[in-house]
Amino acid sequence: MRTIDTIQIGDSASFTKTVTETDIILYAGISGDFNPAHINAESAKDSMFGQRIAHGMLSAGFISNVLGMQLPGPGTIYMGQELRFVKPVYIGDTVTATATVIERNEEKNRLKLETVVTNQRGEKVITGTATVMPPKA
Protein backbone atom coordinates (compact mmCIF):
# COMPACT_ATOMS: atom_id res chain seq x y z
CA MET A 1 0.00 0.00 0.00
CA ARG A 2 1.37 3.39 -1.01
CA THR A 3 0.11 6.67 0.41
CA ILE A 4 0.18 10.05 -1.31
CA ASP A 5 3.29 11.12 0.60
CA THR A 6 5.29 8.24 -0.95
CA ILE A 7 4.04 8.72 -4.52
CA GLN A 8 5.72 11.16 -6.89
CA ILE A 9 4.82 12.63 -10.28
CA GLY A 10 6.23 10.27 -12.90
CA ASP A 11 5.76 7.10 -10.84
CA SER A 12 4.15 4.39 -12.96
CA ALA A 13 3.04 0.77 -12.91
CA SER A 14 1.76 -1.69 -15.51
CA PHE A 15 -0.27 -4.89 -15.92
CA THR A 16 -0.04 -7.17 -18.97
CA LYS A 17 -2.55 -9.78 -20.13
CA THR A 18 -3.27 -11.76 -23.27
CA VAL A 19 -6.97 -11.45 -24.13
CA THR A 20 -8.59 -14.83 -24.75
CA GLU A 21 -11.90 -15.93 -26.21
CA THR A 22 -12.85 -17.09 -22.71
CA ASP A 23 -12.23 -13.57 -21.34
CA ILE A 24 -14.60 -12.13 -23.94
CA ILE A 25 -17.34 -14.72 -23.35
CA LEU A 26 -17.11 -14.33 -19.58
CA TYR A 27 -17.19 -10.53 -19.86
CA ALA A 28 -20.26 -10.75 -22.12
CA GLY A 29 -22.00 -12.92 -19.53
CA ILE A 30 -21.09 -10.63 -16.64
CA SER A 31 -21.90 -7.36 -18.41
CA GLY A 32 -24.82 -8.58 -20.55
CA ASP A 33 -23.13 -7.08 -23.64
CA PHE A 34 -23.64 -9.74 -26.32
CA ASN A 35 -22.93 -7.42 -29.25
CA PRO A 36 -22.15 -9.65 -32.26
CA ALA A 37 -18.89 -7.71 -32.76
CA HIS A 38 -17.68 -9.51 -29.63
CA ILE A 39 -19.29 -12.95 -29.72
CA ASN A 40 -20.38 -13.83 -33.27
CA ALA A 41 -17.50 -14.66 -35.61
CA GLU A 42 -19.74 -14.83 -38.71
CA SER A 43 -21.24 -11.41 -38.08
CA ALA A 44 -17.92 -9.88 -37.02
CA LYS A 45 -16.12 -10.93 -40.20
CA ASP A 46 -18.36 -8.51 -42.12
CA SER A 47 -17.68 -5.65 -39.70
CA MET A 48 -15.18 -2.85 -40.18
CA PHE A 49 -12.71 -4.88 -38.06
CA GLY A 50 -13.03 -8.11 -40.06
CA GLN A 51 -13.10 -10.27 -36.95
CA ARG A 52 -14.31 -10.36 -33.37
CA ILE A 53 -13.03 -7.69 -31.01
CA ALA A 54 -12.81 -7.51 -27.24
CA HIS A 55 -15.20 -5.27 -25.35
CA GLY A 56 -13.60 -1.87 -24.87
CA MET A 57 -14.46 -1.92 -21.19
CA LEU A 58 -12.79 -5.31 -20.77
CA SER A 59 -9.50 -3.78 -21.87
CA ALA A 60 -10.18 -0.64 -19.83
CA GLY A 61 -10.72 -2.87 -16.80
CA PHE A 62 -7.02 -3.73 -16.82
CA ILE A 63 -6.39 -0.13 -15.72
CA SER A 64 -8.33 -0.98 -12.56
CA ASN A 65 -5.81 -3.74 -11.84
CA VAL A 66 -2.95 -1.24 -11.95
CA LEU A 67 -4.69 1.31 -9.73
CA GLY A 68 -6.18 -1.10 -7.23
CA MET A 69 -3.32 -3.55 -6.94
CA GLN A 70 -0.13 -1.60 -7.68
CA LEU A 71 -0.23 2.20 -7.89
CA PRO A 72 -1.41 3.35 -5.43
CA GLY A 73 -2.55 -0.22 -4.64
CA PRO A 74 -4.94 -1.94 -2.23
CA GLY A 75 -7.34 0.45 -0.52
CA THR A 76 -7.36 2.92 -3.42
CA ILE A 77 -10.71 4.50 -4.26
CA TYR A 78 -11.19 4.82 -8.05
CA MET A 79 -13.07 8.12 -8.42
CA GLY A 80 -13.17 8.77 -12.15
CA GLN A 81 -11.87 7.80 -15.55
CA GLU A 82 -11.84 9.45 -18.96
CA LEU A 83 -11.26 7.03 -21.84
CA ARG A 84 -10.67 7.17 -25.56
CA PHE A 85 -10.79 3.91 -27.49
CA VAL A 86 -8.17 4.32 -30.21
CA LYS A 87 -7.80 0.84 -31.76
CA PRO A 88 -9.56 -2.49 -31.36
CA VAL A 89 -8.25 -5.35 -29.25
CA TYR A 90 -8.49 -8.78 -30.90
CA ILE A 91 -8.55 -12.27 -29.42
CA GLY A 92 -4.92 -13.21 -28.81
CA ASP A 93 -3.67 -9.64 -28.41
CA THR A 94 -1.42 -9.05 -25.42
CA VAL A 95 -2.24 -5.69 -23.88
CA THR A 96 -0.41 -3.68 -21.26
CA ALA A 97 -2.22 -1.14 -19.09
CA THR A 98 0.06 1.55 -17.68
CA ALA A 99 -0.80 4.30 -15.20
CA THR A 100 1.57 7.23 -14.63
CA VAL A 101 1.11 9.89 -11.95
CA ILE A 102 0.68 13.33 -13.55
CA GLU A 103 -0.81 15.34 -10.64
CA ARG A 104 -0.74 15.18 -6.84
CA ASN A 105 -3.06 17.01 -4.46
CA GLU A 106 -1.96 16.19 -0.93
CA GLU A 107 -4.55 18.53 0.63
CA LYS A 108 -7.45 16.57 -0.94
CA ASN A 109 -5.59 13.23 -1.01
CA ARG A 110 -6.09 12.87 -4.78
CA LEU A 111 -3.92 11.68 -7.64
CA LYS A 112 -4.45 12.10 -11.35
CA LEU A 113 -2.84 9.47 -13.57
CA GLU A 114 -2.37 9.19 -17.30
CA THR A 115 -3.76 5.81 -18.32
CA VAL A 116 -2.67 4.06 -21.51
CA VAL A 117 -3.34 0.56 -22.82
CA THR A 118 -1.04 -0.68 -25.60
CA ASN A 119 -1.02 -3.87 -27.63
CA GLN A 120 1.92 -6.19 -28.32
CA ARG A 121 3.01 -3.95 -31.21
CA GLY A 122 3.27 -0.94 -28.89
CA GLU A 123 0.17 0.67 -30.45
CA LYS A 124 -2.09 2.61 -28.12
CA VAL A 125 -5.54 1.02 -27.94
CA ILE A 126 -6.90 3.16 -25.07
CA THR A 127 -5.81 6.54 -23.73
CA GLY A 128 -7.18 8.55 -20.83
CA THR A 129 -6.81 9.88 -17.31
CA ALA A 130 -7.90 8.53 -13.95
CA THR A 131 -8.56 10.23 -10.65
CA VAL A 132 -8.01 8.22 -7.48
CA MET A 133 -7.91 8.63 -3.72
CA PRO A 134 -4.95 6.67 -2.37
CA PRO A 135 -5.24 4.97 1.02
CA LYS A 136 -4.26 6.95 4.08
CA ALA A 137 -1.44 5.74 6.31
Side-chain angles (χ1 to χ4, degrees):
M1 170 183 78
R2 295 182 62 187
T3 58
I4 198 163
D5 56 321
T6 66
I7 297 171
Q8 301 303 315
I9 291 176
D11 287 356
S12 69
S14 298
F15 171 74
T16 300
K17 176 157 185 8
T18 299
V19 176
T20 67
E21 180 174 20
T22 300
D23 295 327
I24 292 170
I25 298 302
L26 289 172
Y27 189 85
I30 291 166
S31 68
D33 181 353
F34 292 94
N35 183 324
H38 308 305
I39 62 164
N40 185 316
E42 281 302 306
S43 176
K45 75 178 181 183
D46 295 327
S47 74
M48 64 187 278
F49 304 112
Q51 60 182 302
R52 293 167 53 199
I53 59 171
H55 301 76
M57 293 307 289
L58 170 63
S59 299
F62 302 141
I63 297 166
S64 184
N65 171 288
V66 177
L67 301 175
M69 300 305 296
Q70 299 179 62
L71 180 65
T76 296
I77 304 300
Y78 202 159
M79 300 181 69
Q81 177 75 55
E82 294 178 18
L83 295 171
R84 183 167 174 257
F85 299 99
V86 182
K87 287 185 174 273
V89 172
Y90 300 102
I91 295 169
D93 278 356
T94 299
V95 295
T96 300
T98 302
T100 304
V101 178
I102 57 173
E103 285 182 27
R104 297 172 70 242
N105 184 330
E106 288 189 57
E107 184 178 303
K108 291 186 177 182
N109 192 40
R110 302 284 191 278
L111 295 171
K112 186 178 255 189
L113 300 99
E114 175 186 43
T115 54
V116 178
V117 180
T118 57
N119 63 21
Q120 66 275 11
R121 292 176 295 283
E123 301 167 327
K124 292 179 182 179
V125 297
I126 300 174
T127 61
T129 58
T131 303
V132 301
M133 182 187 313
K136 292 196 176 192

